[in-house]
Amino acid sequence: YPPKDETREVVKKIGEGLGLTWSVAVDGKNVWIVGVNGDGYQLDGDSGKQLASFKATSPQPWGATFFDNKLWITDFAEKRTYSLDPQTGRELFSFANPDQERGAKGLANNGKNLLLMGWTTGLIYEITPSGELVKTIKLSQESGGGLAFDGEYYWVPCDQICKFDSSGKLVSKIYVASEGVWDLEW
């Protein structure tokens, strides 16, 4: 795909050679990615240099966010969300995801709570860090996988990358930068 089109421009690529990335999170400075088999890396957000590596404590980490000084991961196979201490990689807390039948893929936060994307349902679950469901948002267009929140809008892979408002209404779309967008981060 071209690095620039009428909807977006790629300004930097990092993490080359680290394999298929299932999850991505940003702590304000560094980028955290988790890929196949739970292999994780902390990358310098400016240079892309690998700063550390770690192993997720679950087999299919399909969404991540950095929130409350912890790396949060949602696992598709185990249908749970958990937090890791970013310094030690030790698991701190875990809770069952709301949809135990279909699972979830995509994790973000709004500064107060976690935001979890249903795998095939088009639902975003707002959940407290202790695992309590606050509310559910039904998206107006079918989507699933990856989730980012920019402070006002939800960004979700669909046939492109869809931008939804707080009621779940589709606002706009941008073209993807590569085939098979798996996760997003703002």
Side-chain angles (χ1 to χ4, degrees), residues 72-89:
W72 289 84
I73 295 174
T74 192
D75 188 84
F76 180 76
E78 295 181 348
K79 296 179 175 67
R80 70 183 181 105
T81 297
Y82 60 94
S83 60
L84 294 178
D85 179 321
Q87 302 303 314
T88 66

Side-chain angles (χ1 to χ4, degrees), residues 26-95:
V26 176
D27 67 11
K29 180 178 187 276
N30 299 311
V31 177
W32 299 75
I33 61 172
V34 188
V36 177
N37 301 320
D39 295 327
Y41 304 94
Q42 178 189 14
L43 308 175
D44 180 277
D46 292 324
S47 69
K49 179 183 176 194
Q50 183 179 326
L51 303 174
S53 63
F54 63 96
K55 190 77 166 170
T57 60
S58 63
Q60 292 183 357
W62 284 11
T65 190
F66 205 89
F67 175 61
D68 195 26
N69 297 315
K70 299 170 191 77
L71 179 63
W72 289 84
I73 295 174
T74 192
D75 188 84
F76 180 76
E78 295 181 348
K79 296 179 175 67
R80 70 183 181 105
T81 297
Y82 60 94
S83 60
L84 294 178
D85 179 321
Q87 302 303 314
T88 66
R90 185 174 62 90
E91 188 171 317
L92 302 170
F93 182 74
S94 175
F95 60 82

Side-chain angles (χ1 to χ4, degrees), residues 60-163:
Q60 292 183 357
W62 284 11
T65 190
F66 205 89
F67 175 61
D68 195 26
N69 297 315
K70 299 170 191 77
L71 179 63
W72 289 84
I73 295 174
T74 192
D75 188 84
F76 180 76
E78 295 181 348
K79 296 179 175 67
R80 70 183 181 105
T81 297
Y82 60 94
S83 60
L84 294 178
D85 179 321
Q87 302 303 314
T88 66
R90 185 174 62 90
E91 188 171 317
L92 302 170
F93 182 74
S94 175
F95 60 82
N97 289 342
D99 187 340
Q100 286 292 296
E101 183 180 328
R102 291 173 293 257
K105 183 196 169 309
L107 188 61
N109 75 81
N110 62 12
K112 181 179 177 186
N113 291 313
L114 297 166
L115 304 167
L116 183 66
M117 184 73 219
W119 171 235
T120 59
T121 60
L123 296 174
I124 297 174
Y125 303 98
E126 182 175 342
I127 304 168
T128 67
S130 62
E132 296 173 47
L133 182 63
V134 175
K135 70 178 179 179
T136 302
I137 299 168
K138 174 69 175 157
L139 301 180
S140 63
Q141 178 174 324
E142 192 173 311
S143 54
L147 175 65
F149 182 68
D150 69 9
E152 184 176 359
Y153 297 101
Y154 302 94
W155 297 81
V156 178
C158 54
D159 56 332
Q160 296 176 28
I161 296 176
C162 291
K163 177 181 176 183

